[in-house]
Amino acid sequence: MKILSIQSSVAYGHVGNSAAVFPLQRLGHEVWPVSTVLFSNHTGWGSWRGPVVDADDVHEVILGMEDRGALSEVDLVLSGYQGSSAISEVIIDAANRVRAANPNATYTADPVMGNKNSGCFVADDIPPLLRSKVIPAADLITPNQFELGYLTETDPTDLESTLASVDRAFEMGPSAVLVTSVFRPDREADTLEMLFADQDGAWIVQTPHLPTKRNGSGDVTAALFSAHYRSGATPEESLERTASAVFDLLTDTEEKGAPELLLVENQERYVNPRDQFTARRVR
């Protein structure tokens, strides 16, 4: 499978394309990364150096690929954090150009906005932009539970309300939704769940809840799940493989006290994830 990934890039650490590309390559996919920023490190460190790539320059890179006839070969377009309306327009245009060249191609959008602990941490104009333009253009979206509620203007808490929010997301355009972190009040203690739903049903997988999180884990999750699902794995298989790989990646990173994801050291887990979690159908 050939994947066009339009995301940020950092020299140190693993977020955006610097988190998504290598795991996808280890799965055997051809990945064509296009950078939206070229930073020294992710912004969670508090300071960073390097440029934001101008939206027109990103567009020129896409057009250059189109000149080579490459867009007709793309099976999946993947995007993450979108920091401005200009870059969103470029990404949506790229997805549309790919679909025009290959009607079987799909677009996965990770609508990065915030989480339940920190709230919404993007500029005020980003959520309306995601609601009105990005989400309707996507085939699969990968919000966390907080982002799902923010996007759909709902309040998902338990399983029933989360599924209702997913249904609202369907009405906005996407045909599939991966909720990357679900916190239900009636779940087992110290656990975290991931929910996927498409037009055929809904499934959930539960893992232990790790005490800390590293930047970039959501980017890895969106990339792995999209690749498995787009390659023909069942929803259950896609959830189980993704949950297992990301859990082991985070566990190893935490146990070794690494400040950034140990992405390279855990590469075998992407290809051969342990059979440790079981997804179950909930609808």
Side-chain angles (χ1 to χ4, degrees):
M1 185 164 67
K2 293 183 174 66
I3 301 169
L4 173 61
S5 185
I6 311 172
Q7 301 194 59
S8 59
S9 177
V10 296
Y12 171 72
H14 300 289
V15 299
N17 273 336
S18 303
V21 172
F22 179 66
L24 292 171
Q25 291 172 329
R26 281 294 283 121
L27 287 175
H29 302 298
E30 179 74 29
V31 188
W32 296 330
V34 176
S35 298
T36 57
V37 307
L38 295 168
F39 285 169
S40 56
N41 49 270
H42 66 70
T43 58
W45 284 100
S47 64
W48 63 93
R49 296 175 184 265
V52 174
V53 181
D54 188 85
D56 289 340
D57 291 331
V58 177
H59 184 54
E60 282 296 310
V61 172
I62 301 298
L63 293 181
M65 296 177 68
E66 187 175 51
D67 291 343
R68 304 284 76 76
L71 298 190
S72 63
E73 300 180 44
V74 174
D75 301 293
L76 170 65
V77 179
L78 183 64
S79 72
Y81 170 72
Q82 300 187 20
S84 70
S85 59
I87 197 64
S88 293
E89 294 285 358
V90 170
I91 292 172
I92 293 169
D93 179 73
N96 289 335
R97 288 175 183 272
V98 167
R99 288 196 189 101
N102 177 13
N104 293 320
T106 61
Y107 169 37
T108 294
D110 185 5
V112 180
M113 291 191 304
N115 56 61
K116 71 182 186 70
N117 293 324
S118 61
C120 191
F121 51 62
V122 298
D124 292 342
D125 61 334
I126 297 300
L129 175 70
L130 292 171
R131 286 192 196 105
S132 63
K133 293 187 176 181
V134 178
I135 300 308
D139 299 288
L140 167 64
I141 60 172
T142 62
N144 58 39
Q145 192 175 27
F146 169 83
E147 291 165 339
L148 175 66
Y150 210 101
L151 285 169
T152 58
E153 299 179 283
T154 59
D155 184 25
T157 52
D158 57 10
L159 179 58
E160 182 179 358
S161 61
T162 300
L163 288 171
S165 297
V166 167
D167 289 337
R168 173 68 186 115
F170 288 154
E171 295 172 3
M172 299 169 69
S175 58
V177 177
L178 174 70
V179 188
T180 57
S181 56
V182 177
F183 293 93
R184 294 187 293 136
D186 58 342
R187 73 188 189 281
E188 295 178 34
D190 299 318
T191 62
L192 174 68
E193 293 170 315
M194 185 160 56
L195 170 75
F196 172 74
D198 61 13
Q199 306 307 307
D200 296 324
W203 298 262
I204 201 165
V205 64
Q206 186 179 89
T207 71
H209 184 208
L210 297 173
T212 59
K213 182 178 182 290
R214 294 293 188 276
N215 289 73
S217 59
D219 301 319
V220 176
T221 300
L224 289 178
F225 184 89
S226 297
H228 291 314
Y229 184 63
R230 184 66 178 83
S231 297
T234 66
E236 297 98 319
E237 291 168 340
S238 300
L239 276 176
E240 291 166 1
R241 293 173 187 173
T242 301
S244 182
V246 175
F247 178 79
D248 282 344
L249 169 63
L250 286 170
T251 298
D252 189 50
T253 299
E254 175 65 21
E255 288 178 348
K256 294 178 179 176
E260 296 282 348
L261 291 172
L262 296 179
L263 197 76
V264 176
E265 290 88 334
N266 286 277
Q267 60 184 282
E268 186 62 25
R269 294 305 185 195
Y270 318 138
V271 183
N272 295 302
R274 293 192 295 158
D275 185 18
Q276 56 186 325
F277 306 120
T278 302
R280 63 183 179 89
R281 191 178 189 117
V282 293
R283 185 165 70 182

